[in-house]
Amino acid sequence: MAELEAQLRAAVRGEVGFGAAARALVTMDASNYRRVPLGVVAPRDADDVAAVLAVCRERGVPVVARGGGTSIAGQATGTGVVLDFTRHMNRLVSLDPAARTAVVQPGLVLDRLQDAAAPHGLCFGPDPSTHSRCTLGGMIGNNSCGAHSVAWGTTADSVRALDVLSARGERLRLGPGWAGAPEGLRALVEEERARLRTGFPELPRRISGYALDALLPERGADVARSFCGSEGTLGILTEAVVGLVEAPRARALAVLGYGDESAAAEAAAGLLPYGPLTVEGMAADLVPSADLLPRGAAWLFVETGGDSQGEARARAEAVVRAADVTGSAVVTDPARQRALWRVREDASGTATRMPDGTEAWPGWEDCAVPPQRLGAYLRDFRALLGAHGLRGTPYGHFGDGCIHVRIDFDLLTKEGVARFRRFSEELAGVVVAHGGSLSGEHGDGQARAELLPRMYGAQMVRLFERAKGVWDPDDLLNPGMLVRPAPLDAGLRFAVLPREPVDVVFGYPADGGDFSAAVRRCVGVAKCRTTTAAGPAVMCPSFRATGEEEHSTRGRARLLHEMLAGELVTDGWRSAEVRDALDLCLGCKGCRSDCPVGVDMATYKAEFLHHHYAGRRRPAAHLTLGRLPRWLRLVDRTRTARLVNALAAVRPLAWAAKRLGGIAPERAVPRLAPVAFSRWWHARPGNGAGGDLVILWPDTFTEHLSPGVGRAAVRVLEAAGLRVALPPTRRLRPPRDGEGVSVARDPMSLLRGRRRVCCGLTYLSTGQLDRARAVLRDTLDLMEPVLGTGAPVVVLEPSCAAALRADLPELLHGDPRARQLADRVLTFAEALERHAPRWTPPSVARPAVGQTHCHQHAVLGDAADRRLREAAGLAGELSGGCCGLAGDFGFTRGHHEVSVACAEEHLLPSVRAAGESAVVLADGYSCRTQVEQLAGARARHLAEVLAEALEGAGPGGGGGG
């Protein structure tokens, strides 16, 4: 390996990675399989690719081309050198609107091509659900299709010419005709012409095997088309000319409800004569909420197009009239269409969990049959599942006869794997009996290549092997795929994981308390690699800032997988590779909601840091920022806030303090409030309100850094007729030696004074889980009398509310009080909506900009906030993404550049573009601080805005309903 690495470094200009982390990141794609490569190369251009091939050819090392790594059959993994095209060879070289063509590099993400084509009224026809992260090279390698294939076909239908490097270094220009074809290919086709004319089933989604029939003279001897779907086994693509289609000016979506997916499947083919753009199907098991859908247990999504909205709607209504349905809806609003398509696109992730939480896996992800046979095929498929005691919910491209399904295979035990093999062999027979293809979109890879003789017969498969030999006589390119394949039950990625549950702190209730099962949630669909935050989405801000796989949720999950496996990452919880990858995780929790399978990397990070630093010295920032509540309480108790502010204003002192505390030198130290919120509260006269009792949570940020938010919230809550109280506190005597806390080790215990409630957020985010548990147990002790009252707990800081609602019951999973408190937590807007439903907020009547807090988006939801803003006349949508400060993250040394990049994605541009009359809203202290420090603007909590409007409205403020 060392000699190979040195030779590659000398030969290429791109990056060469042979370290454990670089290799671990590409051991898997989105399939069930795992292969450990020797190294990874990110080539800068075709010359780099040629150099890699020369070195590997000399040493007999296999080469695997990889794009977005979203392949579901295992073809994007390998044991030799992996070529990562996403880092450098990812450009749109040119776009010719008149010719309706584009020249693309293999690492270009599909959505980037769509963005460039859209202003010209054009688009690339094939659009897999992974369009935001799959690459054109991967699409060509797999002959991908997508939802619009009933209108625009497969990727092969859109390919015009391909620049390819052969395994022996020949530069080939492939297109229609034999020019550029490798020597011997034409002779092979002429020799086997009769077999090629009769050996391929005729159906729109026949992706399995090599498309040698495209080389027949009556089909134009199209070598480029034949190359599509070859899964990187024939040559390495370096550039492609692709065709574009005219995008409809308007679209409508007919959503048709049926009693079950078989009824939907029976109906799909009958809708094709109406010229739809899509005929997609899915069942209720894959829909988290059917609120947006018409009545039914399964649905067809039928999109229509037209030159006007009226024309598109008329075509959709014609489809509805032709359908025999339990319910229907025609949707023309673009926002609602996007919401519905997200339900369909997320199915590849949501299908990995059965309704009862059982894991489900690919393996028979995309077989296809003639559309007219789909209903009958699904009935046989269901019968076979039942015979093997398996479950799965089909969905997918019903109009093309192609279904996707994840099945609850047991791939962890010998018996379960044996059943996986038996089922696969029997299902292959069912598919072939219906005239189908083992693969209808994602390719054969390792998952189905072993079964190709059942579809094509032994003689045709030998012909595939001969074709492979013409293109790649040394079997250098992606060996084990398509021809001479590895067994479909070998190299399963689960085999290397520990069989016994790992000792962990969090409860992982959705994964049966098993950390390995939590890590297995990541199936590699890579929605976290989306390069722009669409709509309100958050995940994954650090990847969007750096573009590096290791800073995506998937990359971190892969490293944790390899840490548990112990083969590549050998230091377990002490792993430097995992620590470094998690270092730039902002803990935004965006993956908790945006990841289709609910990976919660913020929790995994906290778990890892807890074990990584057990018995070791922690970074300085963990001791300063991670223990912020203790330091701020000390300042409050000693009444030294003004002194601390004065000292922080002295630059040399501030520089020294930041250096010692592990704080980014670029950051200004926030000013402390001279009077903490609780002190103000206890000094004010009671309001005497007699409404519902609400407990206002004095979080650390409101208490010590922005008490004005707390005062404003009290003003609004009381104006709404609610009776406000703070949680109880308890005065403590200093602990004595021998009582579990050593005064010598913990001199601050002498100054703690009152024990106060705390959500433990800063301890959680830095992985100080023992301290977090202790703090939260104290909190539950203090809150126990309150829990008996039934009063809601109103938390103004979204991150603290999320910690109480989500982290508390998972960390103290054995204490029933944890769930009781979590269920009582309400946001400010939720409290007003539920407990003062007749109250009318004061009119603000101003535009609003800002950002929905990450934790609010991921854990709490913001529907109540939207309604409250609307009722107050605050117009405009808040942006998605992440502010980038994220509690301690943006203040920690080494994080400033990424922190700023995250803020510059959406938040700061929206603030800068706002007019003078606009209100900048940010309920999170971190978000407000980021806006102040980077944009020089003042952002406010919604409570502050409403309180200010109340003051303008007079003493009573607001009004009853």
Side-chain angles (χ1 to χ4, degrees), residues 46-60:
D47 290 341
D48 267 4
V49 176
V52 170
L53 288 170
V55 170
C56 292
R57 187 167 60 246
E58 177 187 335
R59 292 182 165 272

PDB file of all heavy atoms in Angstrom, residues 46-60:
ATOM      1  N   ALA A  46      -8.945  14.435 -16.725  1.00  0.00           N
ATOM      2  CA  ALA A  46      -8.804  13.154 -17.412  1.00  0.00           C
ATOM      3  C   ALA A  46      -7.372  12.655 -17.368  1.00  0.00           C
ATOM      4  O   ALA A  46      -7.131  11.435 -17.347  1.00  0.00           O
ATOM      5  CB  ALA A  46      -9.296  13.284 -18.851  1.00  0.00           C
ATOM      6  N   ASP A  47      -6.401  13.568 -17.383  1.00  0.00           N
ATOM      7  CA  ASP A  47      -5.000  13.131 -17.309  1.00  0.00           C
ATOM      8  C   ASP A  47      -4.720  12.431 -15.985  1.00  0.00           C
ATOM      9  O   ASP A  47      -3.975  11.447 -15.933  1.00  0.00           O
ATOM     10  CB  ASP A  47      -4.061  14.335 -17.460  1.00  0.00           C
ATOM     11  CG  ASP A  47      -4.076  14.909 -18.870  1.00  0.00           C
ATOM     12  OD1 ASP A  47      -4.505  14.184 -19.799  1.00  0.00           O
ATOM     13  OD2 ASP A  47      -3.670  16.075 -19.040  1.00  0.00           O
ATOM     14  N   ASP A  48      -5.301  12.934 -14.900  1.00  0.00           N
ATOM     15  CA  ASP A  48      -5.161  12.264 -13.608  1.00  0.00           C
ATOM     16  C   ASP A  48      -5.769  10.863 -13.648  1.00  0.00           C
ATOM     17  O   ASP A  48      -5.210   9.907 -13.097  1.00  0.00           O
ATOM     18  CB  ASP A  48      -5.832  13.083 -12.500  1.00  0.00           C
ATOM     19  CG  ASP A  48      -4.869  14.028 -11.803  1.00  0.00           C
ATOM     20  OD1 ASP A  48      -3.702  14.100 -12.221  1.00  0.00           O
ATOM     21  OD2 ASP A  48      -5.299  14.699 -10.837  1.00  0.00           O
ATOM     22  N   VAL A  49      -6.939  10.747 -14.287  1.00  0.00           N
ATOM     23  CA  VAL A  49      -7.574   9.434 -14.377  1.00  0.00           C
ATOM     24  C   VAL A  49      -6.680   8.477 -15.145  1.00  0.00           C
ATOM     25  O   VAL A  49      -6.475   7.314 -14.746  1.00  0.00           O
ATOM     26  CB  VAL A  49      -8.955   9.542 -15.050  1.00  0.00           C
ATOM     27  CG1 VAL A  49      -9.582   8.156 -15.226  1.00  0.00           C
ATOM     28  CG2 VAL A  49      -9.883  10.433 -14.239  1.00  0.00           C
ATOM     29  N   ALA A  50      -6.110   8.963 -16.254  1.00  0.00           N
ATOM     30  CA  ALA A  50      -5.210   8.118 -17.044  1.00  0.00           C
ATOM     31  C   ALA A  50      -3.991   7.694 -16.229  1.00  0.00           C
ATOM     32  O   ALA A  50      -3.539   6.542 -16.316  1.00  0.00           O
ATOM     33  CB  ALA A  50      -4.767   8.865 -18.305  1.00  0.00           C
ATOM     34  N   ALA A  51      -3.476   8.612 -15.408  1.00  0.00           N
ATOM     35  CA  ALA A  51      -2.314   8.279 -14.590  1.00  0.00           C
ATOM     36  C   ALA A  51      -2.659   7.226 -13.545  1.00  0.00           C
ATOM     37  O   ALA A  51      -1.872   6.303 -13.289  1.00  0.00           O
ATOM     38  CB  ALA A  51      -1.785   9.546 -13.911  1.00  0.00           C
ATOM     39  N   VAL A  52      -3.829   7.342 -12.933  1.00  0.00           N
ATOM     40  CA  VAL A  52      -4.253   6.338 -11.945  1.00  0.00           C
ATOM     41  C   VAL A  52      -4.388   4.980 -12.620  1.00  0.00           C
ATOM     42  O   VAL A  52      -3.930   3.949 -12.085  1.00  0.00           O
ATOM     43  CB  VAL A  52      -5.587   6.747 -11.295  1.00  0.00           C
ATOM     44  CG1 VAL A  52      -6.146   5.608 -10.450  1.00  0.00           C
ATOM     45  CG2 VAL A  52      -5.406   7.989 -10.440  1.00  0.00           C
ATOM     46  N   LEU A  53      -5.005   4.948 -13.794  1.00  0.00           N
ATOM     47  CA  LEU A  53      -5.166   3.678 -14.497  1.00  0.00           C
ATOM     48  C   LEU A  53      -3.817   3.066 -14.844  1.00  0.00           C
ATOM     49  O   LEU A  53      -3.629   1.840 -14.739  1.00  0.00           O
ATOM     50  CB  LEU A  53      -5.999   3.888 -15.764  1.00  0.00           C
ATOM     51  CG  LEU A  53      -7.492   4.147 -15.545  1.00  0.00           C
ATOM     52  CD1 LEU A  53      -8.153   4.581 -16.837  1.00  0.00           C
ATOM     53  CD2 LEU A  53      -8.177   2.910 -14.997  1.00  0.00           C
ATOM     54  N   ALA A  54      -2.854   3.904 -15.228  1.00  0.00           N
ATOM     55  CA  ALA A  54      -1.528   3.379 -15.578  1.00  0.00           C
ATOM     56  C   ALA A  54      -0.856   2.744 -14.364  1.00  0.00           C
ATOM     57  O   ALA A  54      -0.288   1.645 -14.447  1.00  0.00           O
ATOM     58  CB  ALA A  54      -0.663   4.500 -16.149  1.00  0.00           C
ATOM     59  N   VAL A  55      -0.905   3.420 -13.230  1.00  0.00           N
ATOM     60  CA  VAL A  55      -0.284   2.894 -12.018  1.00  0.00           C
ATOM     61  C   VAL A  55      -0.972   1.605 -11.584  1.00  0.00           C
ATOM     62  O   VAL A  55      -0.319   0.600 -11.257  1.00  0.00           O
ATOM     63  CB  VAL A  55      -0.321   3.942 -10.889  1.00  0.00           C
ATOM     64  CG1 VAL A  55       0.101   3.327  -9.555  1.00  0.00           C
ATOM     65  CG2 VAL A  55       0.563   5.132 -11.226  1.00  0.00           C
ATOM     66  N   CYS A  56      -2.289   1.615 -11.572  1.00  0.00           N
ATOM     67  CA  CYS A  56      -3.032   0.441 -11.110  1.00  0.00           C
ATOM     68  C   CYS A  56      -2.905  -0.725 -12.086  1.00  0.00           C
ATOM     69  O   CYS A  56      -2.880  -1.893 -11.666  1.00  0.00           O
ATOM     70  CB  CYS A  56      -4.494   0.807 -10.889  1.00  0.00           C
ATOM     71  SG  CYS A  56      -4.738   1.941  -9.485  1.00  0.00           S
ATOM     72  N   ARG A  57      -2.833  -0.415 -13.365  1.00  0.00           N
ATOM     73  CA  ARG A  57      -2.646  -1.487 -14.357  1.00  0.00           C
ATOM     74  C   ARG A  57      -1.301  -2.181 -14.151  1.00  0.00           C
ATOM     75  O   ARG A  57      -1.193  -3.406 -14.193  1.00  0.00           O
ATOM     76  CB  ARG A  57      -2.739  -0.885 -15.756  1.00  0.00           C
ATOM     77  CG  ARG A  57      -2.721  -1.891 -16.880  1.00  0.00           C
ATOM     78  CD  ARG A  57      -3.125  -1.249 -18.194  1.00  0.00           C
ATOM     79  NE  ARG A  57      -2.228  -0.159 -18.577  1.00  0.00           N
ATOM     80  CZ  ARG A  57      -2.597   1.119 -18.640  1.00  0.00           C
ATOM     81  NH1 ARG A  57      -3.830   1.479 -18.299  1.00  0.00           N
ATOM     82  NH2 ARG A  57      -1.735   2.050 -19.005  1.00  0.00           N
ATOM     83  N   GLU A  58      -0.271  -1.383 -13.884  1.00  0.00           N
ATOM     84  CA  GLU A  58       1.064  -1.934 -13.648  1.00  0.00           C
ATOM     85  C   GLU A  58       1.086  -2.852 -12.429  1.00  0.00           C
ATOM     86  O   GLU A  58       1.768  -3.870 -12.410  1.00  0.00           O
ATOM     87  CB  GLU A  58       2.062  -0.784 -13.455  1.00  0.00           C
ATOM     88  CG  GLU A  58       3.471  -1.218 -13.126  1.00  0.00           C
ATOM     89  CD  GLU A  58       4.362  -0.030 -12.772  1.00  0.00           C
ATOM     90  OE1 GLU A  58       4.056   1.093 -13.232  1.00  0.00           O
ATOM     91  OE2 GLU A  58       5.341  -0.222 -12.032  1.00  0.00           O
ATOM     92  N   ARG A  59       0.302  -2.513 -11.423  1.00  0.00           N
ATOM     93  CA  ARG A  59       0.312  -3.269 -10.165  1.00  0.00           C
ATOM     94  C   ARG A  59      -0.846  -4.263 -10.055  1.00  0.00           C
ATOM     95  O   ARG A  59      -0.956  -4.962  -9.044  1.00  0.00           O
ATOM     96  CB  ARG A  59       0.255  -2.299  -8.981  1.00  0.00           C
ATOM     97  CG  ARG A  59       1.523  -1.462  -8.842  1.00  0.00           C
ATOM     98  CD  ARG A  59       1.467  -0.545  -7.649  1.00  0.00           C
ATOM     99  NE  ARG A  59       2.796  -0.030  -7.347  1.00  0.00           N
ATOM    100  CZ  ARG A  59       3.681  -0.628  -6.567  1.00  0.00           C
ATOM    101  NH1 ARG A  59       3.367  -1.779  -5.997  1.00  0.00           N
ATOM    102  NH2 ARG A  59       4.871  -0.115  -6.356  1.00  0.00           N
ATOM    103  N   GLY A  60      -1.722  -4.308 -11.065  1.00  0.00           N
ATOM    104  CA  GLY A  60      -2.853  -5.218 -11.000  1.00  0.00           C
ATOM    105  C   GLY A  60      -3.868  -4.861  -9.937  1.00  0.00           C
ATOM    106  O   GLY A  60      -4.522  -5.741  -9.364  1.00  0.00           O
TER     107      GLY A  60
END
